[in-house]
Amino acid sequence: MAQLKQMAGAVVTAPLGWAARAIDPPLRLWQRLTGTGGMAAFFLLPNMAIFGVFVLLPLVINFAYSMTTGGALFLSDREYVGAAQYAQLLDCDDYTDPSTCAQDQFWTALANTALFVVLQVSLLIVTATITALILNRELRARSFWRAVFFFPVLLSPVVVGLIWRWILQRDGLLNAMIIPMGLDPVNWLIERNWAFAAAIGVTIWAHLGFYALILLAGLQAIPKDLYEAAEMDGTKPGRVFWRITLPLLMPNLLVVIVLALIRAVQVFDEAFVLTGGGPGTATLFLTQYIYEVGFASLLKNPGLAAAASILMGAVLVVLTLIQLAISRRNEKKGKLK
């Protein structure tokens, strides 16, 4: 039996050994020619090639499309118009009133997205922090509750949207639960305010577990000696949170804030399946506007959609730079202390 195992292991490892011996001479030659830095570049080259083909190249093509107009698909068939698409998007008499803009739906989507980001991210951060604090306690079946909160993260956004549309539609599960209580059924997905609130609530439910897990990891990294010393001094729980927990949790909290902001700006899947942008334009967000202008509309305008996506990408870059600046400033403060 032992001999059979050795023979099977030799059969498996022999091809690997041949491949290693075949690659070894070129690698040694490359190292002699370029040094250690060249070896690092050699191993990074496949990843950089993939990044260039699937990230950088599409960005360049997208920017090129934003400088053209027309409904043609190929760049060679499209008319170059320079920054005219950007000018059209930014053409407004009153930026606080989308109806005065040349592309009123763009500004409506922008306003909806801005309001969504403020409300959704704020509620998400508070809820995720509270959830992480609770899950960090000594609870019965703590692993089970952690899995329960993380489970929605594993679901497809389309599945999340379909589940909650079934729950929130007029003859759905939620109204079926409140009608026996003597309450009138609510048009959760038809009334503007309720539809917007539903989009916020569903996205929080879908992503809460991911951010709570990041914060939970930060909480578990805080030395317990600090809490023991605070308890011996008779420090109140609220003061412990503000003076110990929150400052030491801040690096994780910054990561969560930036990731949540980026995801909120790009909201599409759950909201589109849940409401389709309605009622009217109540839940029309930037990503859906880009999709409809570039692909779903009868009068497709890929150049205008590309310009809108470039502007949205610029906002995401700014958010990322702000996060990096705040992180570096906190690191410097920590080193000074």
Side-chain angles (χ1 to χ4, degrees), residues 8-43:
V11 171
V12 173
T13 57
L16 297 177
W18 296 334
R21 286 191 292 271
I23 295 174
D24 188 61
L27 286 180
R28 290 183 180 276
L29 177 61
W30 179 264
Q31 185 177 19
R32 284 197 299 269
L33 294 174
T34 62
T36 305
M39 291 301 295
F42 177 82
F43 287 110

Side-chain angles (χ1 to χ4, degrees), residues 194-266:
W194 282 121
F196 196 87
I200 292 174
V202 169
T203 52
I204 290 176
W205 179 85
H207 305 296
L208 172 65
F210 174 73
Y211 299 112
L213 186 65
I214 296 175
L215 294 175
L216 180 61
L219 289 172
Q220 293 182 339
I222 299 175
K224 298 194 179 297
D225 297 346
L226 298 175
Y227 293 111
E228 293 174 358
E231 186 178 357
M232 292 176 63
D233 291 340
T235 308
K236 295 181 180 180
R239 189 172 180 82
V240 170
F241 174 78
W242 289 107
R243 296 292 184 179
I244 297 177
T245 304
L246 190 59
L248 295 177
L249 190 62
M250 192 54 67
N252 296 70
L253 199 57
L254 284 173
V255 171
V256 166
I257 290 172
V258 174
L259 292 178
L261 283 172
I262 293 174
R263 185 183 288 272
V265 172
Q266 296 175 318

Side-chain angles (χ1 to χ4, degrees), residues 64-119:
Y65 267 93
S66 72
M67 309 294 283
T68 62
T69 188
L73 178 62
F74 297 103
L75 278 172
S76 58
D77 300 329
R78 298 177 59 80
E79 179 185 355
Y80 175 79
V81 292
Q85 302 284 20
Y86 297 95
Q88 185 178 358
L89 287 174
L90 301 176
D91 181 16
C92 273
D93 294 331
D94 181 4
Y95 288 101
T96 61
D97 184 5
S99 63
T100 66
C101 301
Q103 290 294 322
D104 57 332
Q105 283 202 340
F106 170 77
W107 287 95
T108 299
L110 182 62
N112 288 344
T113 303
L115 182 60
F116 178 87
V117 168
V118 172
L119 296 178

Side-chain angles (χ1 to χ4, degrees), residues 272-287:
F272 183 72
V273 174
L274 189 66
T275 64
T281 57
T283 56
L284 176 65
F285 299 115
L286 269 177
T287 308

Side-chain angles (χ1 to χ4, degrees), residues 270-335:
E270 297 97 343
F272 183 72
V273 174
L274 189 66
T275 64
T281 57
T283 56
L284 176 65
F285 299 115
L286 269 177
T287 308
Q288 183 179 343
Y289 169 82
I290 294 168
Y291 162 73
E292 290 184 350
V293 171
F295 301 100
S297 174
L298 293 176
L299 300 174
K300 299 181 181 63
N301 192 338
L304 192 65
S309 67
I310 292 292
L311 293 177
M312 187 176 74
V315 172
L316 296 178
V317 169
V318 170
L319 292 176
T320 304
L321 292 176
I322 291 173
Q323 185 267 339
L324 291 174
I326 294 174
S327 299
R328 289 174 182 174
R329 187 179 65 179
N330 289 337
E331 287 177 3
K332 289 180 181 179
K333 286 183 179 179
K335 290 179 180 179

Side-chain angles (χ1 to χ4, degrees), residues 68-201:
T68 62
T69 188
L73 178 62
F74 297 103
L75 278 172
S76 58
D77 300 329
R78 298 177 59 80
E79 179 185 355
Y80 175 79
V81 292
Q85 302 284 20
Y86 297 95
Q88 185 178 358
L89 287 174
L90 301 176
D91 181 16
C92 273
D93 294 331
D94 181 4
Y95 288 101
T96 61
D97 184 5
S99 63
T100 66
C101 301
Q103 290 294 322
D104 57 332
Q105 283 202 340
F106 170 77
W107 287 95
T108 299
L110 182 62
N112 288 344
T113 303
L115 182 60
F116 178 87
V117 168
V118 172
L119 296 178
Q120 196 259 8
V121 173
S122 301
L123 292 173
L124 178 60
I125 296 303
V126 172
T127 309
T129 303
I130 294 173
T131 303
L133 289 170
I134 294 173
L135 294 178
N136 194 45
R137 293 177 175 272
E138 294 296 333
L139 302 173
R140 289 184 179 180
R142 184 170 60 177
S143 299
F144 168 77
W145 291 113
R146 290 177 180 177
V148 167
F149 278 99
F150 190 76
F151 176 73
V153 180
L154 304 178
L155 296 177
S156 164
V158 175
V159 172
V160 171
L162 290 174
I163 290 172
W164 280 99
R165 190 172 68 179
W166 173 68
I167 294 173
L168 296 175
Q169 60 189 357
R170 183 173 176 80
D171 56 348
L173 180 62
L174 186 55
N175 279 334
M177 294 173 61
I178 66 174
I179 289 174
M181 301 178 186
L183 300 174
D184 294 330
V186 180
N187 295 319
W188 303 103
L189 303 179
I190 299 177
E191 296 182 10
R192 294 180 64 88
N193 292 335
W194 282 121
F196 196 87
I200 292 174

